[in-house]
Amino acid sequence: MTTPERSFTGPLAGLQVLEIGGMGPGPFAAMVLADLGADVVRVDRAHGASLPGPNHDFRKEVMHRGRRSVAVDLKHPDGAGVVLDLAERADVIIEGFRPGVAERLGIGPEDCFLRNPRIIYGRMTGFGQDGPLAQDVGHDINYIATSGLLSLIGRKDAPPTPPLSLLGDFGGGGMLLAMGVLAALWETERSGEGQVIDAAMVDGAALLGTAFFGFMPTGDWRQERGANLVDSGAPFYDSYETSDGGWVAVGAMEPHFYADLLTVLELNEASLPGSQHDEAAWPALKEVIADRFRTRTRDEWVTAARGHNACLHPVLTMDEATRSEHARARESFTEIDGVAQPAPAPRFSRTPATVTAPPPLPGEHTEGVLADWGTPTWRIAEWLKSGAVVDAEAAAGEDAGTAIANGTETTETTTDSPAEARA
């Protein structure tokens, strides 16, 4: 098969990235690079590919958008050779295996450097490539717990509260891996040499908490949850329920913004339990403000705040966020195959970033990618015949995309998959 012509318009147009299919932060990093114009090829399992989490439809796995997929059997004698052939032509490779797994599969950093000394080898793990926890398994909550951040998140007298999987997987993981890739590429332009990026979510999460690590020794932050400026302790920085069951978010930290908030709430500061920064009065002050917010609907409060600098905005559902006036004006969301999703960010004035393709099925582009990346036709035919690679569209009988997605193919697969070997 031939791959349809694709247009890459972002600032990374021309960059070739090989992503060894995994879960969470690795795919997010690859998505960011693809959004910004890189030609990203995802290496999926040839047999038994599956998705973690609540979604089981590859076509709707939006973090896989913007790239093509080749299906490779890494336990096949030629499987590693397929990956190394692609790595020879890539600028970047990303993997999320437990430390040592890529080496055992024959696609570790040294294997790739022998074929391509300039390649940037991005490694995404929870605890890093070394250290006493390097081989421990875990997920976002484990990494941010170890980083110290989870201890800070939650309301007063409540347990530490997982902030979705934003701090470890995406902020401290995938986003920093993508940034590391770009930094390494900049250095390679000067040295001519590649290098390994050891991106650990526990390190990245801690980095995101730099400001709070700085607050602790000065006494400006208390270890107690829900007792500080931006952790729901302050009455002027919290979410409040309204009369219709909706919520508003308030962030009026500065005195002049706080004064405007009180004006919107029709509260006289002199009659309140305490001043803005009287921490002893915060619980009582919060009760007064909460009672006042319960007297009107969410949208009524939003209307009342217009024209004031009260730092008051509605807490939108995800569906509302995609349809908000501001999001529509900025085109902050895009729709692909009926699925609304965030548009690429940030914005570039000359080289706008766009989503170039919907999420692929595993192996949907195997033949086309191999051809595009310079593999001889005879070798592609050999790999297909031997089962080293699978092309979903070329498979006979049951639709290969369905077979792979449902895990119904019976050929042996690696037990060192990213989902099983993540650390």
Side-chain angles (χ1 to χ4, degrees):
M1 61 171 282
T2 58
T3 303
E5 192 69 27
R6 303 169 69 209
S7 175
F8 298 94
T9 60
L12 297 184
L15 184 71
Q16 291 187 289
V17 178
L18 188 62
E19 171 201 3
I20 309 300
M23 58 188 291
F28 182 73
M31 183 201 77
V32 170
L33 298 175
D35 281 354
L36 299 184
D39 179 9
V40 179
V41 168
R42 177 179 168 90
V43 176
D44 279 305
R45 296 174 65 171
H47 313 288
S50 61
L51 293 170
N55 177 39
H56 300 289
D57 184 350
F58 281 96
R59 288 295 191 201
K60 290 183 169 55
E61 186 67 10
V62 296
M63 283 204 306
H64 291 185
R65 71 190 188 189
R67 60 257 218 194
R68 295 175 291 174
S69 169
V70 299
V72 181
D73 183 353
L74 289 176
K75 282 297 185 72
H76 189 283
D78 292 330
V82 176
V83 173
L84 294 177
D85 269 21
L86 292 170
E88 188 172 340
R89 297 164 176 82
D91 301 296
V92 178
I93 184 170
I94 293 172
E95 57 95 352
F97 292 117
R98 195 183 304 183
V101 171
E103 285 83 350
R104 292 198 297 273
L105 292 172
I107 56 172
E110 295 306 318
D111 302 297
C112 291
F113 288 143
L114 287 174
R115 302 285 288 269
N116 181 356
R118 291 176 58 95
I119 198 167
I120 304 304
Y121 196 106
R123 315 196 80 166
M124 185 78 258
T125 61
F127 293 113
Q129 295 297 313
D130 51 32
L133 298 180
Q135 292 295 331
D136 276 20
V137 296
H139 288 287
D140 183 289
I141 189 171
N142 307 108
Y143 312 136
I144 67 172
T146 308
S147 77
L149 288 197
L150 185 58
S151 71
L152 305 181
I153 302 171
R155 293 192 172 274
K156 185 177 178 63
D157 299 324
T161 304
L164 303 180
S165 54
L166 298 173
L167 292 179
D169 277 357
F170 302 122
M175 191 67 77
L176 279 178
L177 173 59
M179 183 176 179
V181 164
L182 299 181
L185 286 167
W186 173 261
E187 192 280 336
T188 295
E189 286 300 307
R190 285 144 185 78
S191 69
E193 299 179 7
Q195 62 179 308
V196 177
I197 302 169
D198 177 0
M201 284 172 266
V202 67
D203 298 342
L207 183 67
L208 294 179
T210 299
F212 301 95
F213 280 100
F215 295 153
M216 285 288 187
T218 66
D220 295 324
W221 194 272
R222 292 152 59 186
Q223 181 64 50
E224 180 187 359
R225 287 182 293 281
N228 298 283
L229 188 65
V230 293
D231 69 348
S232 78
F236 47 83
Y237 197 96
D238 205 350
S239 298
Y240 290 95
E241 189 174 15
T242 55
S243 65
D244 58 344
W247 295 82
V248 293
V250 172
M253 291 196 293
E254 294 80 356
H256 49 294
F257 295 154
Y258 180 67
D260 266 24
L261 174 64
L262 296 185
T263 298
V264 171
L265 294 174
E266 299 176 356
L267 292 174
N268 184 343
E269 186 169 13
S271 65
L272 295 176
S275 62
Q276 179 182 6
H277 292 290
D278 180 359
E279 295 186 16
W282 277 1
L285 183 54
K286 182 172 284 193
E287 286 187 19
V288 172
I289 293 175
D291 287 343
R292 183 54 58 94
F293 272 118
R294 292 190 191 99
T295 64
R296 297 186 190 178
T297 68
R298 183 193 74 176
D299 291 348
E300 286 172 342
W301 282 117
V302 171
T303 299
R306 288 196 184 121
H308 297 275
N309 293 319
C311 300
L312 186 156
H313 290 85
V315 177
L316 301 179
T317 65
M318 294 180 76
D319 184 56
E320 288 176 318
T322 66
R323 297 182 283 105
S324 75
E325 180 181 8
H326 186 73
R328 291 199 307 270
R330 284 187 54 81
E331 298 181 337
S332 299
F333 292 86
T334 187
E335 187 171 301
I336 302 172
D337 291 347
V339 180
Q341 55 201 269
R347 309 292 177 85
F348 296 85
S349 61
R350 289 190 300 101
T351 55
T354 59
V355 179
T356 59
L361 294 176
E364 183 173 354
H365 311 99
T366 299
E367 288 190 66
V369 165
L370 292 174
D372 287 353
W373 282 37
T375 305
T377 303
W378 63 267
R379 180 168 291 168
I380 297 173
E382 282 190 353
W383 284 340
L384 286 166
K385 183 178 180 180
S386 70
V389 301
V390 173
D391 191 300
E393 291 191 4
E398 180 184 13
D399 175 75
T402 302
I404 294 171
N406 292 338
T408 56
E409 296 191 58
T410 57
T411 305
E412 180 186 10
T413 184
T414 176
T415 57
D416 287 321
S417 70
E420 296 164 343
R422 188 176 174 197

